[in-house]
Every structure is written in C-alpha cells, then in structure tokens.
Amino acid sequence: MTQAKPFPITKRQVWEAYKSVKANQGGAGVDGQSLAEFGEDLENNLYKLWNRLASGSWMPPPVKRVEIPKADGGVRGLGVPTVADRIAQTVVKQALEPELEKQFHPDSYGYRPNKSAHQAIGQARERCWRYDWVVDLDIKGFFDAIDWDLMMRAVQHHTPEKWVVLYIERWLRAEVQLPDGSRLKRERGTPQGGVVSPLLANLFLHYTFDAWMQRNYPQLPFERYADDGVPRRRTGGRSPPCSHAAQVMGVGPPKPPCRRRLQTTHCCCL
C-alpha cells in the first residue's frame, strides 16, 4: 500500500506549474541548471519535486542575486531562484492566487491576471478630468523591506492550507547568494524576481495601502501598480492625506535615507 503524502499536492499541479515556468523562460539559479537541462530528465525531475513538495521536505535553495543597472546610476537587485524552485513557487502561487484575487482592489494593476499597466494609465487619464491633483507615491526598496511577521499573518488569514503557509515562510527566509559567491541571511523582504514575490507584495500592499485608503478616504480614488501609486485629490497642498498611508507602510529599515517618495503633482490631461 502506498503511504499517503502529508500534503495534498498533485502531480498535475506540478506539471501545470512546470508549463507556466517553461513559457516564462528565465535563467539558471545557483545550481547553474537551465530550463533545457531540467527538461533533459523531465519526468524524473518533476517526480522528485512533487515527492518533496507533497511530503513537506522541499527546502528552497539560496536565491541567486543578479544586479541590473538602473537609469539613475544605481542597481536593482533581482533574485533568481533555481528552475525547480520556480516550479515549486508556481505550484503555491496557482493555489493561493485565485483566493487573493477575490480580495484585491480593482485599482491594483500590477502583476495580476487580466490587469496591465495600460489599464492603469487609461484609468488615470480618465480620472484626470475629475481630479486636479495626484500624489505620486513610490516606496524605496519595497520588496527588500517587507515585514515577515505581518506578511505571514496576512497569508494565514487567507488560506487554510498548511503547506502553502509552510513553503511561503521558507521562501521568505531563503538565503541570497551574492555575485561574489557569499551568502546573505535576510531578516525581512521577499526577493524581487521570485515567482511568488509579486503576489505576496500585492497582498501586503492590499492591507497597508488599498484597504487603508478605502477605509479612511473612500472618496479619493487611486491607481496602484505594485509599489507605485497615484492617489488623487481635488486640491493641492503640502501634506496630502496619503502621507499617513505612507507612514503605515513604513516597511523600510530603521531611519532609511529615503523610505518613500511622496510628491503632489497637478494633473494635466492631453
């Protein structure tokens, strides 16, 4: 008799996750294994991954940090999981995302099914005719600064699946391998570049910004794409109400040089 696995993860779920990862492509992680190389022994690799996921023994490898130059001269640090770990993350994402989509605000546009930056721009143009001012909001280093305790409280609130909670916590705590080969233990944040990270980021901002705005300023609409947002006002001013939301979203390290950028801008429609 085959012993039942502790977690109800099916081989079909792993297969569907693999197809999604293959379609999105992406580079190798710390193990150097490419998608093509993973596919050379596909059946065996997927079986081993399923077996470990369903038994609760999958331990995420370190995330490879890749630095991408930014236009302002700085660098954006991206985390590249291994191919197998990207598949594992996709299994969790595909299980959790449908439930979270029921909760998310309609004006959250980033990294969501059937949502796009073009839709956010279109909505922003339409609202410019009715609201003369916007608050340009950007959170510095958001993905690297998410509080784990708050994040896990939100995850546990939305899923009864213990395996989803278990693996998300493991991914949050996974080490980062730096370009010089050294490894870094993190105390907060979720690697930008991980499959499940955008979903977690949207969940965090759903509570710390979207729901906060809806509860405290229901008369002021906004458009948000990940950690960039443009709440609206009918009048200008130096201290927009959204600055309070930014304080609630104090996700950066203690006394950062620039935790967030808030700028009130006159809205001009063309």
Side-chain angles (χ1 to χ4, degrees):
M1 181 181 295
T2 303
Q3 185 177 4
K5 299 293 184 183
F7 297 134
I9 302 172
T10 67
K11 295 176 183 177
R12 170 60 63 179
Q13 286 175 282
V14 176
W15 171 246
E16 293 298 328
Y18 165 72
K19 291 195 295 183
S20 175
V21 170
K22 183 180 179 181
N24 291 329
Q25 292 297 303
V30 295
D31 60 359
Q33 185 181 49
S34 67
L35 263 168
E37 291 169 337
F38 185 91
E40 290 174 0
D41 192 14
L42 182 61
E43 184 176 353
N44 186 46
N45 285 333
L46 291 181
Y47 177 82
K48 288 191 296 184
L49 178 59
W50 165 77
N51 189 44
R52 292 172 183 172
L53 283 172
S55 66
S57 62
W58 177 253
M59 299 300 295
V63 177
K64 183 173 75 172
R65 181 179 174 88
V66 177
E67 296 183 343
I68 308 298
K70 296 172 64 174
D72 61 4
V75 295
R76 182 185 305 278
L78 298 182
V80 181
T82 64
V83 173
D85 199 45
R86 293 208 297 274
I87 298 170
Q89 289 191 35
T90 304
V91 170
V92 169
K93 179 190 174 188
Q94 292 178 344
L96 182 61
E97 188 172 55
E99 173 59 31
L100 296 187
E101 277 295 313
K102 300 175 187 177
Q103 313 298 326
F104 286 164
H105 195 281
D107 282 319
S108 166
Y109 294 91
Y111 310 116
R112 294 182 59 191
N114 304 313
K115 293 277 191 176
S116 69
H118 290 290
Q119 291 175 333
I121 293 170
Q123 183 66 273
R125 286 177 58 87
E126 189 276 329
R127 284 175 174 156
C128 272
W129 294 102
R130 293 182 286 119
Y131 294 84
D132 290 338
W133 296 85
V134 298
V135 180
D136 183 11
L137 169 68
D138 183 23
I139 307 172
K140 182 178 180 180
F142 170 68
F143 280 85
D144 293 331
I146 291 175
D147 183 280
W148 287 348
D149 290 337
L150 294 177
M151 184 78 266
M152 292 310 302
R153 283 170 55 188
V155 170
Q156 291 166 356
H157 179 72
H158 287 287
T159 180
E161 298 291 351
K162 294 182 179 179
W163 61 273
V164 171
V165 175
L166 171 70
Y167 286 125
I168 286 178
E169 186 164 18
R170 286 182 183 176
W171 283 314
L172 290 176
R173 296 182 180 278
E175 292 182 335
V176 175
Q177 181 167 300
L178 303 177
D180 63 4
S182 62
R183 293 185 178 179
L184 174 68
K185 289 186 177 181
R186 299 178 300 111
E187 297 180 350
R188 58 198 304 137
T190 178
Q192 189 171 0
V195 174
V196 78
S197 293
L199 182 63
L200 298 180
N202 270 332
L203 176 59
F204 194 89
L205 284 170
H206 169 73
Y207 283 108
T208 57
F209 183 75
D210 301 353
W212 187 92
M213 284 290 293
Q214 210 167 16
R215 183 172 61 252
N216 290 279
Y217 297 95
Q219 76 281 12
L220 300 181
F222 63 87
E223 300 84 46
R224 180 177 65 77
Y225 192 96
D227 58 338
D228 294 290
V230 280
R232 305 196 169 271
R233 303 188 62 184
R234 294 192 184 278
T235 60
R238 297 190 52 159
S239 181
C242 303
S243 62
H244 301 298
Q247 292 168 10
V248 174
M249 290 188 297
V251 295
K255 297 182 180 179
C258 181
R259 177 173 297 175
R260 53 195 170 259
R261 174 171 59 83
L262 281 170
Q263 180 177 345
T264 306
T265 308
H266 191 264
C267 187
C268 179
C269 293
L270 299 176

